[in-house]
Amino acid sequence: MDTIEKNKTKNLVKEDVLKQNEIVVFNDDYNTFKHVIECLVKYCNHDSLQAQQCAFIIHHNGKCSVKTGTYEKLLPIASVLSEKGLSTEIV
């Protein structure tokens, strides 16, 4: 592989990394810890401990990034979380 091809490959990898987005879940006064944890397990594929930790971060810090990926992959997950009553944003 010549130098030009290597640089092109490096740039493509950088672009792919830069295109990553996050679903952020915000704290509210309505949803229980149990509900938030169940949603994170079911829709974000968290294990129970990871979901519990995110729920505590959401409660204490006001928000937590719960899932990363491309915008296209995150949009349906964020939508279902919103349908379940969680306040979300893709950043």
Side-chain angles (χ1 to χ4, degrees), residues 11-21:
N11 287 339
L12 290 174
V13 171
K14 285 180 184 178
E15 288 177 16
D16 288 342
V17 171
L18 294 176
K19 290 180 184 178
Q20 295 293 304
N21 295 92

Side-chain angles (χ1 to χ4, degrees), residues 3-85:
T3 304
I4 293 173
E5 288 181 32
K6 286 181 184 177
N7 287 338
K8 284 182 182 179
T9 302
K10 286 181 184 178
N11 287 339
L12 290 174
V13 171
K14 285 180 184 178
E15 288 177 16
D16 288 342
V17 171
L18 294 176
K19 290 180 184 178
Q20 295 293 304
N21 295 92
E22 301 175 336
I23 296 174
V24 177
V25 176
F26 296 92
N27 191 36
D28 61 43
D29 294 330
Y30 309 106
N31 291 297
T32 64
F33 276 96
K34 181 180 178 184
H35 178 67
V36 173
I37 291 165
E38 288 173 352
C39 286
L40 294 178
V41 169
K42 185 171 184 177
Y43 302 110
C44 294
N45 297 317
H46 287 201
D47 62 34
S48 181
L49 180 60
Q50 182 182 13
Q52 290 174 29
Q53 290 171 336
C54 286
F56 283 113
I57 292 170
I58 293 165
H59 179 72
H60 291 290
N61 294 350
K63 64 182 179 179
C64 181
S65 172
V66 297
K67 188 82 173 169
T68 59
T70 63
Y71 185 85
E72 293 77 20
K73 289 186 178 185
L74 296 179
L75 185 58
I77 299 168
S79 295
V80 74
L81 291 174
S82 293
E83 289 172 12
K84 298 298 178 183

